[in-house]
Amino acid sequence: EKISGENVIHYVYAHDGEAYPELPPYIIMEYANGGTLKDRISERKANNTPFSKEELMSIYKQLIDGMIAINAELVHRDIKPENILVSNDVLKISDFGLAKIASESTRTMSFKGYGTIPYIAPEAWNSDKNTIQMDIYSMGIVFYELATYTVSRYTEVKMLQIKGVSSVGLTIFIGILVIDLYQKVTRNMMEEKE
């Protein structure tokens, strides 16, 4: 109830199994009639139709607005296109099943789970404390996927982490990925102008 905003799905009721023990736990939420952001990405990819700069900016703004509302209270911990619903062409971030109160610094007060590969922040693999930066990382992967229709670079990040590359090294590598994304978006914008 504390989380609200145009770009956050509205939960009407959550039953944890206690009030009506004869019923399983369930959630009632607003109806989103447009599928998921993953559906939109898949459709565009199948038709080889990239999002325009204007479309990307609108999508990014909606997702940022949704994350501001969520991160004021929670660390979502499972940001991915499948958890972003579309309702009358408005994006709605949903599925708080792995969410954790933003002010809590340990994993002990949350549901078990760490998110979805390839959207998991590197620090989550180390079971570090939950931070809003984890959501920022995950949303960055979503932004990258929207612009390029791929998340393949994640494997490189994970492999570097498994090989014991320091967090500084990972930060540098992720910075290179962001620069790569910027160059791809800029290249697409230049091609659109021609």
Side-chain angles (χ1 to χ4, degrees), residues 6-24:
E6 181 181 13
N7 301 111
V8 178
I9 202 77
H10 175 68
Y11 288 91
V12 178
Y13 181 75
H15 171 57
D16 62 5
E18 289 186 21
Y20 307 101
E22 69 278 7
L23 298 175

Side-chain angles (χ1 to χ4, degrees), residues 60 63-64 67 71 75-81 84 107 114-126 128-146 150-162 166-178 181:
Y60 292 167
L63 295 176
I64 290 167
M67 288 311 303
N71 288 153
V75 178
H76 188 286
R77 297 177 54 200
D78 198 18
I79 296 296
K80 60 184 176 181
I84 300 168
R107 293 186 177 274
Y114 300 97
T116 303
I117 298 172
Y119 305 94
I120 302 169
E123 57 268 36
W125 290 100
N126 296 330
D128 290 350
K129 74 177 187 173
N130 294 291
T131 64
I132 291 169
Q133 287 77 9
M134 290 175 161
D135 284 348
I136 292 169
Y137 177 92
S138 299
M139 191 58 78
I141 299 294
V142 172
F143 284 9
Y144 187 89
E145 184 175 2
L146 282 160
T150 183
V151 291
S152 63
R153 291 287 188 112
Y154 169 79
T155 306
E156 295 173 54
V157 172
K158 184 62 185 153
M159 290 309 296
L160 287 172
Q161 186 183 18
I162 289 169
S166 70
S167 59
V168 172
L170 282 174
T171 301
I172 291 168
F173 184 75
I174 291 168
I176 291 168
L177 294 181
V178 170
L181 170 63

